[in-house]
Amino acid sequence: WLKPSRPKRWLLSSHSPRSQQPAVIMAQQFYDAEFKEGHVVKTVKDVEADKFITAFAQHLKRQGRFEIPKWADVVKTSKAKELPPNDPDWLYTRTASMVRKVYIRGGTGVGGFRKVYGGQFRRGTCTNVFCKSSGKIARYILQQLEEMGLVEQDENGGRKITKEGQRELDTVAVQAAEVEEEDEE
């Protein structure tokens, strides 16, 4: 009346789910490398996010058109944070990240960026709750990008990328991809 349960096959063999993970990762790497071989980078969407953001932050810093305010070294990025950012060039990095987000999905405004860069507000013994980030930082960055001519106000609300901004971001993306290829070789 009691049926003996069949032993799990993966318990008896070396085909356990944990031992398959490295094989799956290896397969994904070869699969990705196969399709990256003849791939030509033309836009921001073709480059990995972290590579583009670091390249565009360096580009902004070299250009010198982006003004760093005097409050940048003192300000916290959210009321949920205890300290300001450690990186002295954090505003360039945040700007590069925001302009990439506007490029990929236009129509995002200050409120949307507050939500994107928000995080958990730790309230001691109380439960953690979500907290939006600083609106002043997002507004300042978007205004600076408008002055530079990279973004413009959308008629439906939020900001969208301009033709000049799209051209500049695409050239930086191509340069970032070239640097990435040189590092691989």
Side-chain angles (χ1 to χ4, degrees):
W1 53 280
L2 279 177
K3 224 192 257 183
S5 63
R6 287 190 297 154
K8 304 282 189 235
R9 195 175 352 145
W10 57 269
L11 283 174
L12 300 174
S13 67
S14 64
H15 296 293
S16 68
R18 292 194 189 276
S19 68
Q20 285 181 356
Q21 287 175 350
V24 170
I25 292 170
M26 294 272 296
Q28 286 175 348
Q29 287 174 346
F30 288 122
Y31 185 80
D32 291 344
E34 182 71 30
F35 286 101
K36 281 185 180 178
E37 249 175 51
H39 186 67
V40 178
V41 174
K42 293 183 180 178
T43 65
V44 173
K45 295 179 182 182
D46 298 336
V47 184
E48 293 178 18
D50 58 337
K51 305 274 195 272
F52 173 77
I53 289 171
T54 53
F56 195 75
Q58 289 298 319
H59 174 74
L60 283 172
K61 192 173 180 181
R62 267 180 298 182
Q63 258 188 338
R65 290 185 354 196
F66 188 84
E67 296 176 22
I68 297 291
K70 55 187 170 192
W71 48 260
D73 57 341
V74 192
V75 73
K76 298 191 305 179
T77 56
S78 170
K79 72 174 191 176
K81 301 288 183 186
E82 292 184 15
L83 295 170
N86 288 332
D87 183 17
D89 297 331
W90 70 270
L91 202 59
Y92 293 115
T93 308
R94 176 67 61 95
T95 305
S97 173
M98 283 178 67
V99 78
R100 181 181 177 275
K101 286 188 183 299
V102 171
Y103 180 99
I104 290 173
R105 186 169 187 248
T108 311
V110 175
F113 282 117
R114 286 190 68 193
K115 210 177 288 181
V116 166
Y117 294 107
Q120 283 201 339
F121 186 29
R122 300 177 66 201
R123 305 183 296 165
T125 57
C126 302
T127 56
N128 297 347
V129 292
F130 180 78
C131 172
K132 291 182 180 177
S133 71
S134 169
K136 166 80 173 177
I137 295 170
R139 196 175 311 108
Y140 179 80
I141 288 173
L142 289 172
Q143 287 169 353
Q144 287 293 309
L145 289 172
E146 273 186 49
E147 285 179 21
M148 292 168 64
L150 298 179
V151 298
E152 62 187 4
Q153 292 202 354
D154 194 5
E155 60 271 356
N156 299 328
R159 304 295 203 288
K160 65 179 183 180
I161 202 88
T162 60
K163 292 291 182 189
E164 294 83 25
Q166 185 175 351
R167 189 180 318 115
E168 188 169 337
L169 265 67
D170 286 342
T171 55
V172 172
V174 170
Q175 292 169 359
E178 288 173 358
V179 169
E180 185 180 333
E181 286 175 8
E182 289 173 6
D183 289 344
E184 288 178 2
E185 291 174 2

